[in-house]
Amino acid sequence: FCIIIVLYFIKSKNKIRLEDYFFMKIRFYLSLLIAKLLYYFLKITKLSSGTAIIGLIVLKICPNFLTHVNEYIKIAQINVTGTNGKTTTSGILSHLIRKNDKSVIHNSVGANMLNGIVNALALQINPFKKQDYSVIETDEAFLRKVYSKIEGDYLLVTNLFEDQTDRFANPIVTRDLIQEGINKQPKVQLVLNADEPISATLKSEVEPIFYSVEKVINEDGEIFENTNPNTVCPICNNILNYSKSFYSQIGHFECNCGYKHKDAKYKATVTLRKNSSVIELDDEKYDIDGIYTFDVTYNSKKNDSNNHFNTYLYFYDCSSQLCTSTIKPTYCTGTDTHKHVKDGPDNWEEYSR
């Protein structure tokens, strides 16, 4: 009787038929049960890793599965997208949230398309207990499908490079796909890389939070130099002018049309070493043990393509750490962040692979 009364008030508030709401919830709970049973079956039989097939079956049982997820996240739903750094950024962020004794749902294995996201949510949602946060790594092209169902609170965008040209053609196309997703959640708080000219043009109804690298130096204090890229302005298609260039189109830029590098709220100095790096942000220093162990070159003019690529990998790792640090003051106050960032996630070997 109590359940019927509760359902009646929910129905009245949402203006849907009581029987429709009842059967929608039944299908949702059934999909959770089947997802968990199927997961253990696949784990025992080793027939599949189950990163996508479970999500596919869940959506067959409950097509509106994602709309029900909103009820189970208490504080904020965070999505991470971009070409590079999605898994690293979302992994570190979810780790820091757990270190603050908060619960979080996270697609840690990196299955970031629709079925993979549904798979992670179905396996981690407890129908009798709400989670504090969700940190969902999201494929650029699937953000619009996710945001058509899920309420987005924060969207972290790492960068946009030319990647998977069979799917995205070029970074401008990728940006437009992400913008389509943002338009479905116009009040989402964007966290953007001010050094990357394409993703920095993304907009919502809320003023974006920008993060940036002020300079990159080696352990001897020498400033890292890179040749100026031939990057086209995403606004007028003219060549951008760079005052600082870190890698590819990443740097401090300006165009004759008036488009220029945004003034970032969070500005960092990055020191690259052989087996580690240091990020200085707001008078704090974060020592990060290297994921990659190789000699870092500090001057791309040496024209050593291998060393140049290694420098990129290290700088890209620092970018992910900085993106995480940008949202850290909101969610991770009062913690020993220095230690947590250095230690990395509990399953860091998985991320490094």
Side-chain angles (χ1 to χ4, degrees):
F1 176 75
C2 291
I3 292 173
I4 292 173
I5 294 298
V6 170
L7 288 175
Y8 174 78
F9 280 108
I10 293 174
K11 181 267 297 187
S12 300
K13 182 179 179 180
N14 293 284
K15 296 181 180 179
I16 62 174
R17 294 171 60 201
L18 179 61
E19 54 269 33
D20 288 345
Y21 182 83
F22 179 76
F23 284 113
M24 282 164 52
K25 295 300 289 185
I26 290 295
R27 294 176 78 168
F28 174 70
Y29 292 134
L30 180 63
S31 67
L32 290 180
L33 175 62
I34 291 178
K36 290 170 172 56
L37 292 174
L38 185 57
Y39 169 76
Y40 286 110
F41 172 77
L42 293 175
K43 188 176 181 179
I44 293 170
T45 60
K46 298 181 180 179
L47 293 175
S48 169
S49 60
T51 57
I53 190 171
I54 295 176
L56 177 65
I57 293 172
V58 165
L59 289 174
K60 291 292 184 183
I61 299 170
C62 183
N64 291 320
F65 176 86
L66 288 176
T67 60
H68 296 280
V69 172
N70 300 314
E71 303 173 26
Y72 292 90
I73 307 299
K74 292 189 292 186
I75 301 177
Q77 299 188 63
I78 306 166
N79 292 78
V80 181
T81 194
T83 303
N84 299 317
K86 294 187 293 292
T87 303
T88 304
T89 302
S90 58
I92 297 172
L93 181 56
S94 61
H95 172 77
L96 289 174
I97 290 172
R98 290 191 184 101
K99 284 292 184 180
N100 279 262
D101 298 322
K102 301 291 185 181
S103 57
V104 59
I105 294 176
H106 172 223
N107 53 337
S108 58
V109 295
N112 56 28
M113 297 184 183
L114 187 62
N115 290 341
I117 291 171
V118 171
N119 177 92
L121 292 169
L123 293 178
Q124 295 179 56
I125 285 177
N126 182 341
F128 306 107
K129 182 181 179 182
K130 292 185 178 182
Q131 302 290 318
D132 293 312
Y133 300 96
S134 67
V135 177
I136 303 299
E137 175 188 339
T138 310
D139 179 83
E140 303 92 298
F142 281 85
L143 183 68
R144 53 185 176 174
K145 290 188 176 182
V146 172
Y147 270 1
S148 66
K149 304 288 185 181
I150 284 182
E151 297 173 2
D153 295 304
Y154 285 82
L155 175 62
L156 282 64
V157 185
T158 56
N159 50 62
L160 292 176
F161 288 107
E162 187 168 316
D163 183 54
Q164 300 184 59
T165 52
D166 57 326
R167 294 181 63 210
F168 300 125
N170 60 65
I172 300 297
V173 173
T174 311
R175 179 202 61 185
D176 293 343
L177 289 172
I178 294 175
Q179 187 63 57
E180 286 181 30
I182 294 170
N183 293 342
K184 293 181 181 296
Q185 295 291 330
K187 296 189 182 300
V188 66
Q189 174 65 70
L190 299 178
V191 178
L192 303 177
N193 186 348
D195 300 336
E196 203 285 289
I198 300 173
S199 60
T201 61
L202 293 168
K203 294 179 181 179
S204 70
E205 293 180 3
V206 182
E207 190 69 23
I209 298 172
F210 286 100
Y211 62 93
S212 171
V213 172
E214 281 295 289
K215 61 180 177 179
V216 182
I217 58 177
N218 65 14
E219 50 195 334
D220 296 325
E222 298 172 355
I223 296 177
F224 172 81
E225 296 178 0
N226 187 28
T227 54
N228 286 337
N230 243 358
T231 303
V232 173
C233 174
I235 306 298
C236 70
N237 293 326
N238 288 321
I239 299 298
L240 290 171
N241 302 311
Y242 278 80
S243 58
K244 298 177 183 179
S245 179
F246 301 129
Y247 184 85
S248 187
Q249 75 258 33
I250 303 293
H252 293 198
F253 54 85
E254 187 172 4
C255 182
N256 294 332
C257 72
Y259 178 60
K260 62 180 181 179
H261 182 270
K262 304 291 184 181
D263 185 27
K265 183 177 181 180
Y266 298 94
K267 303 174 184 179
T269 296
V270 176
T271 302
L272 299 180
R273 298 170 177 166
K274 182 176 181 179
N275 295 315
S276 65
S277 56
V278 178
I279 297 179
E280 295 180 47
L281 180 66
D282 291 338
D283 298 323
E284 293 185 44
K285 287 188 178 182
Y286 304 91
D287 288 314
I288 305 164
D289 288 339
I291 301 175
Y292 313 100
T293 54
F294 43 65
D295 290 329
V296 178
T297 180
Y298 303 102
N299 190 342
S300 62
K301 294 177 182 178
K302 292 180 181 179
N303 200 28
D304 186 331
S305 59
N306 288 329
N307 280 341
H308 191 76
F309 180 64
N310 288 347
T311 304
Y312 158 68
L313 285 176
Y314 227 112
F315 179 72
Y316 142 69
D317 179 41
C318 289
S319 265
S320 295
Q321 302 279 2
L322 176 56
C323 185
T324 306
S325 298
T326 299
I327 204 169
K328 178 267 299 180
T330 304
Y331 294 109
C332 304
T333 54
T335 62
D336 185 2
T337 309
H338 169 95
K339 179 181 184 299
H340 296 162
V341 171
K342 182 178 178 181
D343 291 348
D346 297 327
N347 54 345
W348 186 248
E349 288 185 4
E350 177 183 335
Y351 291 110
S352 65
R353 283 199 297 272

